Each structure stands twice: as structure tokens, then as C-alpha cells.
Amino acid sequence: MSRSIMGAAAQLGPIARSDPRKEVVARLISLLREAHGRGAELVVFPELALTTFFPRWYLEDPAEIDAFFETEMPGPETLPLFEEAKRLGVGFYIGYAELASESGARQRFNTSILVDRAGRIVGKYRKVHLPGYDAPQPGRTSQHLEKYYFQPGDFGFPVWRTMGAVMGMCICNDRRWPETYRVMALQGTEIILVGYNTPDDHTGDFDFDSLTGFHNQLSLQAGAYQNSTWVIATAKAGLEEGSRLIGNSMIVAPSGQVVAMATSTHDEVVVARCDLDLGTLYRKTIFDLARHREPRHYGLIVERKGPVSPPEEG
Amino acid sequence: MSRSIMGAAAQLGPIARSDPRKEVVARLISLLREAHGRGAELVVFPELALTTFFPRWYLEDPAEIDAFFETEMPGPETLPLFEEAKRLGVGFYIGYAELASESGARQRFNTSILVDRAGRIVGKYRKVHLPGYDAPQPGRTSQHLEKYYFQPGDFGFPVWRTMGAVMGMCICNDRRWPETYRVMALQGTEIILVGYNTPDDHTGDFDFDSLTGFHNQLSLQAGAYQNSTWVIATAKAGLEEGSRLIGNSMIVAPSGQVVAMATSTHDEVVVARCDLDLGTLYRKTIFDLARHREPRHYGLIVERKGPVSPPEEG
């Protein structure tokens, strides 16, 4: 029996700082309905999908910062999205800024949740690989302060069996790190869901920055292929508060082939049938991990955080 | 001061089973001279570059098997290559089947060596990720018996500082495994050298096999980009004893861009200047491993060989 799931990447165009949550949620619901109308059973929204990408600014006022964070999910403003998804019988992934108060301490995470077709939150992930800096960098028009606003995720990379598949989540920069996909592959993941906000000015060096779209696609294709998994990757895109965010939301097969891609930097839905058995041939041959991996030679991956080079010559 | 090295991929067309070593070495020398004439300081030859790709056959006669293996390097037949390389002042990588007799036991490895510009062997690598099977598979025209002929490499993934750069080696199937590149990146590698023999009939499923060239390139580009390293990758190519080996020998920059590619499946040299500082911007920003990696969440990569999936639902 063929197992498959209709997946959708529901890309968002820009969100202005002044856009109220309610309006954003209305856009999400509109995308959800469009995806459902095209047969989608699982919809992937972007990272930090409820607000503008605020880590581009250095803010100090706690109240101002708090305004970008959710203290409950769903909350009053996001509940309509949950209700509509449940009514339509569509599962979804969405990213948001989480203000947690576990064990009494206030903690901030860049978080995503997985909601099943009955409207239940079945999984939560907190972004592990925070890019950028923990303090403003001089000379940059647009900052990248995720290490200032968030703590690294403390859940690792769990996977969930839900909606007939084994699913994992990651967020934005996580997708560039091969460890992300591999840890999920070692738990049998069949679909990886990822949202992102990716400005095209990472370094200010045009030789590098002009490759932003290529690097996004390369990372997603390699992660899918090397781990025999589907990847559904969704951007917040377009010119947002002066920052240019790439689009290119895409669905990638376990073959590494891009089977659907957004062509705009606006609100846009792309849909593809994800045959969960497509990865099986890969998992049984060239990527039969249990037959071919040699973990005794991988020790440095966990023993070292950064590189140690051999001594200089002579 | 800019640091760079002129690198070459010296692709070989097919080698018939009946081709004597001497003729093959003459072809290697011819490629070496061409590369040198185009400015190359470092030449990468393929995997198992001295013979036909014998793991496609199931052989049982030890003498017949031994004929594909080297017991010394250089030996009488390969010495002219070493002498010419030394005379020209060109370093090189070459793969061969190694019959070792360390500590009294005969052991077989799929091996590569790194020879510096003074003709000294400065590094040896033994292939870690052996693809295929340890016994013939019924119904296949062409077998893939590397696990029958070779033991997995016992050196891990060392790197060497030589010829003005930090260099690592891997062989063929190793290039599909993100662990390969990462272990070398954690030792500061700046150039990874890889030879391969890649038939286009891995599975017999055309949907998969027709992607062989794409998968080769995807793996090399991702490995280079995600580890801020140059990759020089060289094929043995063409129709060899009824098996079709892909070409596409290439040089990939730390940006993931392919900067040189062979266009034939015959003996062919491609050359590119490898600016060792090109990776620096990557290593200082998005892939500053020491700032961004989170090894505490990577444990499964070394703890598990194969996947363990969550229990079935309900």
C-alpha cells in the first residue's frame, strides 16, 4: 500500500512591524484554505510567522521585545488559525517567538510547533542553531541578533509519528547544518518541516550574498538526499522593513529533486504529493545507514565544537 | 598575502581488465604533464586508478584477486609516476587497491595516498564508507562487491598540512556522507581530495540511477559549502568492461560553486586556482563552527549506526 501525504509550503510575503497579529493570522488562514483547496493535508508556515523578523533590530526595552513573543499557543489571536485548521482537517507547522516561563524562569526561544489534523499540538521544537550575534555589529544596516534574543533550543531534534508519517522539525539556519538532518534520520524521519527568514545581506560581501538562494536550495537538497527524507521548506519573503528576504519556498523529494517551488516573494502556496515510500529505495541501498555508516570514525563531531588545525609547517 | 594552490582533476577514461599497469601509468604521466603544463601544483587522480574497477565482478581465486592489488607504493610499475611528479614538482593524490601485511595479517583496503611536490608520500587514507555488498547479489549484471574485497578503513579521516594547505582525503562513496567532510572540517581542512568510480546502475531502478550525476554533484557541492572547503573530485569514467561510469570530475569552491568540470568520459584534465582564503569569510560568519555548532544535540550521530523509528501509532 502506498503511503503518501499531500504537503504544502505556505509562503508569506513581508510582515511590517506595524501589522497587527490579527491581520497576519487572517493571511495565514487564507493560505491554509488555499492549500486545503488544492488537497493539502499538511501545511508548513514560515519561521517567526506572526510578526516581522525583529532580530534585525537591536531593541532594549523589555516591553517592546515582549510584544514580538507569544506566551501561550494558541492565544486569543492565533486561536482562529487552529480552529480553521481543525475544521478543514489540515495539520500544520508554524514558527513563532516563544516566551516560556518553565520552572519559574523567563526564557526566550525561536520555536515551531506541529499541529495534527485534529488541531492538537503534537510536537514542539526550539531552534538549535542560532545564527548571527548576541550584540549589535558596527557598520551594519540590518543586524542579525538571534543570539541576543533567543537561547539555543533545549530539546535537540526530536521526531514525531503523526498523520501517518515520521516527522521532524527544524528552523531556518538549522537547515545548513548536516547534523540537523542526520540526527532526525537516525530516528527514522520521513518528512522534515522547516520555516525560514533569510535576508540576502548575511555578510555584506556581494560575492557571498548573491549566492543566498543557491545556498538555501543546496542545503535543502543535500539534507533530503543524504537522509532519504522529504523536506518542506517555507520562507517569509520579500522586502520587509528594508530587508530583502529570499523566497524559493520548496518541497524536496528524498531523491534531492525539487518537486515544487514558489516563484514569488509574496504570499504563495505550493503543493506536492509526498510519497513516503520514495525514500525506501535509497534507505535500502546507498543510504542503508545501518549497513554503511562507521560511527567509530565520527567522534570529533561530538567531541569538538570548532576546528583544531594541525600545527604550522616547519 | 593571498594563499592559493593550482589544483587539477586528472580524469581517466575506462581501463580494460587486460590493460597492463605500465600502459595505465603512461596515461597517468601524460595527464600529469598536461596538468603541469597548465600550471597545476597538485593533481588528483581517481580511485583505484591503476586497474579496471574489479569490484564489479565476483572473483574467488586469490591469485586473480591479488593481481589487482599493490603490495608496495611506489612499486616497480608505479615508480615512473613518482619520478616524473618529483621532476615536475607536482604533488598528487592517487587511489589504488592496497594489500597490506601489517602485524603479520594480510588485509585489503581501498586506499589513497598524498604525495608532496618533493615526491614524498605524506599521507595515506583507507576508504571508510564501503558501498555495496559482501556477497554477489542475484539478478545483477554488474555487482558492487567492495564489502567483499575490502575492509573498512582504519585511519578515520586524518588531514595533513602540506604544500601550503591543510588537506584531507576521501574516496568515492565517502563523498555522499556528511560525516566525512565534517570530521575533516573539525581539523581545519582547506582542500578535500576525492577519487571515484561511479557506475550509473546502482539500483537497477532508472528513476534512481538516472540521477547519478546529479547526486555526485550535489554531494560535492554540499560538502564544500557546509564545510568552507575546496573539493577536487576526479572520476574514472566511460564505458568500462560493459559498465558505464559517470565523469563530471570537478573542482568545487568553498562557496559551493563548481569552478571547473570535465565534459567528457575520457582522459581529461581540468584545472582551477584554489584560493585558500575564499573559505575564510564563510568560516568567520555563517559557518563559524566554534560559535554556532551545538554538539550536545548531535549525540545520536555517534551513538547509533542505523535508524530507530518511533513506535507505530495506536
Side-chain angles (χ1 to χ4, degrees):
Chain A
M1 192 188 72
S2 166
R3 299 178 308 130
S4 75
I5 188 161
M6 283 291 279
Q11 176 175 290
L12 279 173
I15 300 178
R17 186 167 179 179
S18 59
D19 288 351
R21 286 276 198 301
K22 194 175 168 181
E23 276 181 25
V24 175
V25 170
R27 285 165 65 187
L28 295 171
I29 289 173
S30 172
L31 289 164
L32 186 82
R33 287 179 182 151
E34 182 183 341
H36 174 258
R38 293 170 61 189
E41 302 161 294
L42 174 67
V43 174
V44 178
F45 292 114
E47 171 195 38
L48 299 175
L50 299 170
T51 66
T52 199
F53 187 71
F54 61 90
R56 73 171 65 95
W57 297 303
Y58 178 58
L59 306 173
E60 294 182 280
D61 174 5
E64 205 174 17
I65 296 172
D66 282 355
F68 291 105
F69 282 74
E70 312 301 312
T71 52
E72 54 180 339
M73 186 58 68
E77 290 161 321
T78 45
L79 186 61
L81 173 66
F82 283 71
E83 288 177 337
E84 182 66 2
K86 182 179 176 180
R87 190 182 74 79
L88 298 172
V90 175
F92 68 93
Y93 161 113
I94 191 166
Y96 62 98
E98 178 191 12
L99 179 55
S101 48
E102 288 150 16
S103 56
R106 280 163 55 101
Q107 295 185 296
R108 298 179 187 278
F109 297 100
N110 188 338
T111 295
S112 64
I113 48 169
L114 180 58
V115 180
D116 74 8
R117 299 176 70 176
R120 289 178 301 235
I121 296 177
V122 292
K124 181 189 271 195
Y125 168 74
R126 288 167 170 171
K127 186 172 182 178
V128 165
H129 297 101
L130 297 173
Y133 300 89
D134 61 5
Q137 302 299 295
R140 291 192 61 146
T141 323
S142 211
Q143 296 291 333
H144 202 117
L145 293 167
E146 288 197 50
K147 286 186 197 289
Y148 169 70
Y149 287 110
F150 304 114
Q151 294 176 250
D154 51 354
F155 295 156
F157 298 99
V159 305
W160 298 269
R161 189 183 292 277
T162 181
M163 296 176 257
V166 181
M167 300 189 194
M169 294 191 274
C170 67
I171 300 177
C172 195
N173 181 48
D174 285 322
R175 75 195 185 288
R176 304 183 194 276
W177 299 81
E179 292 90 345
T180 298
Y181 304 88
R182 186 62 103 213
V183 170
M184 290 192 263
L186 287 166
Q187 300 169 83
T189 198
E190 296 170 308
I191 310 185
I192 292 175
L193 316 177
V194 48
Y196 57 95
N197 284 259
T198 301
D200 74 346
D201 64 346
H202 266 299
T203 66
D205 181 316
F206 190 57
D207 289 355
F208 177 117
D209 294 343
S210 61
L211 299 173
T212 303
F214 163 60
H215 290 155
N216 174 51
Q217 182 167 331
L218 176 61
S219 299
L220 296 170
Q221 289 186 289
Y225 166 62
Q226 293 178 326
N227 297 282
S228 311
T229 182
W230 287 90
V231 176
I232 305 178
T234 306
K236 178 140 62 64
L239 184 63
E240 186 182 272
E241 299 289 358
S243 170
R244 297 195 309 184
L245 303 172
I246 65 162
N248 296 356
S249 298
M250 68 184 84
I251 301 177
V252 186
S255 59
Q257 291 167 292
V258 176
V259 300
M261 184 180 282
T263 54
S264 79
T265 53
H266 306 294
D267 289 14
E268 181 180 351
V269 173
V270 296
V271 175
R273 178 164 293 285
C274 304
D275 175 355
L276 299 175
D277 293 322
L278 185 57
T280 305
L281 180 61
Y282 288 82
R283 281 190 288 266
K284 285 190 173 170
T285 58
I286 202 142
F287 291 129
D288 185 342
L289 305 186
R291 282 205 303 125
H292 298 313
R293 292 180 81 246
E294 297 288 347
R296 68 189 163 125
H297 296 304
Y298 306 154
L300 289 186
I301 290 171
V302 295
E303 291 158 18
R304 279 186 191 170
K305 189 167 160 77
V308 179
S309 297
E312 295 292 332
E313 284 176 285
Chain B
M1 192 187 72
S2 166
R3 300 177 308 131
S4 75
I5 189 162
M6 282 290 280
Q11 177 176 289
L12 279 172
I15 299 177
R17 186 166 177 179
S18 59
D19 289 350
R21 286 277 198 301
K22 195 176 167 181
E23 276 179 25
V24 176
V25 170
R27 285 166 64 188
L28 296 171
I29 289 173
S30 171
L31 290 164
L32 187 80
R33 287 178 182 151
E34 183 184 340
H36 174 258
R38 293 169 63 189
E41 302 161 294
L42 174 68
V43 174
V44 178
F45 293 113
E47 171 195 37
L48 299 174
L50 300 169
T51 67
T52 198
F53 187 72
F54 62 90
R56 73 171 66 93
W57 297 304
Y58 178 57
L59 305 173
E60 294 181 278
D61 175 5
E64 206 174 16
I65 296 172
D66 282 355
F68 290 105
F69 282 74
E70 312 299 312
T71 52
E72 53 180 340
M73 187 57 68
E77 291 160 322
T78 44
L79 186 62
L81 173 65
F82 284 71
E83 288 177 337
E84 184 65 2
K86 181 179 175 179
R87 189 181 75 77
L88 298 173
V90 175
F92 68 93
Y93 160 113
I94 190 166
Y96 62 97
E98 178 191 12
L99 180 53
S101 48
E102 287 151 17
S103 56
R106 279 165 55 102
Q107 294 185 298
R108 298 179 187 279
F109 297 101
N110 188 339
T111 295
S112 64
I113 47 169
L114 181 57
V115 180
D116 73 9
R117 300 176 71 176
R120 289 177 302 232
I121 296 177
V122 292
K124 181 189 270 193
Y125 169 73
R126 289 167 169 171
K127 187 173 182 176
V128 165
H129 296 102
L130 297 173
Y133 299 90
D134 61 5
Q137 301 300 296
R140 290 192 62 146
T141 325
S142 211
Q143 297 292 333
H144 201 117
L145 293 168
E146 288 197 51
K147 287 186 196 289
Y148 168 70
Y149 287 111
F150 304 113
Q151 294 176 249
D154 51 353
F155 295 155
F157 298 99
V159 304
W160 298 270
R161 189 184 291 277
T162 181
M163 297 176 256
V166 181
M167 300 190 195
M169 294 191 276
C170 67
I171 300 178
C172 195
N173 181 48
D174 286 321
R175 75 195 185 289
R176 304 183 194 277
W177 299 81
E179 293 90 345
T180 298
Y181 304 88
R182 186 61 104 217
V183 170
M184 290 193 262
L186 288 165
Q187 301 168 83
T189 198
E190 295 169 308
I191 310 185
I192 292 175
L193 316 177
V194 49
Y196 57 95
N197 285 260
T198 300
D200 73 347
D201 64 347
H202 266 301
T203 66
D205 180 316
F206 190 58
D207 287 356
F208 177 117
D209 294 344
S210 62
L211 299 173
T212 303
F214 163 60
H215 289 155
N216 174 52
Q217 181 167 331
L218 177 61
S219 300
L220 296 171
Q221 289 186 290
Y225 165 63
Q226 293 177 326
N227 296 282
S228 311
T229 182
W230 287 89
V231 176
I232 305 178
T234 307
K236 178 137 65 59
L239 185 64
E240 185 182 271
E241 300 288 359
S243 170
R244 297 194 309 183
L245 303 172
I246 65 162
N248 296 357
S249 297
M250 69 184 84
I251 302 177
V252 187
S255 59
Q257 291 167 293
V258 176
V259 300
M261 184 181 281
T263 54
S264 79
T265 53
H266 306 294
D267 290 14
E268 181 179 350
V269 173
V270 296
V271 175
R273 178 164 295 284
C274 304
D275 175 355
L276 299 176
D277 294 321
L278 185 57
T280 305
L281 180 61
Y282 288 82
R283 282 190 288 266
K284 285 190 174 170
T285 58
I286 202 144
F287 291 129
D288 185 342
L289 305 185
R291 282 204 304 126
H292 298 314
R293 293 181 79 245
E294 296 287 348
R296 70 189 163 126
H297 296 304
Y298 306 154
L300 288 186
I301 291 172
V302 295
E303 290 158 19
R304 280 185 190 171
K305 188 168 160 77
V308 179
S309 296
E312 295 291 334
E313 284 176 286

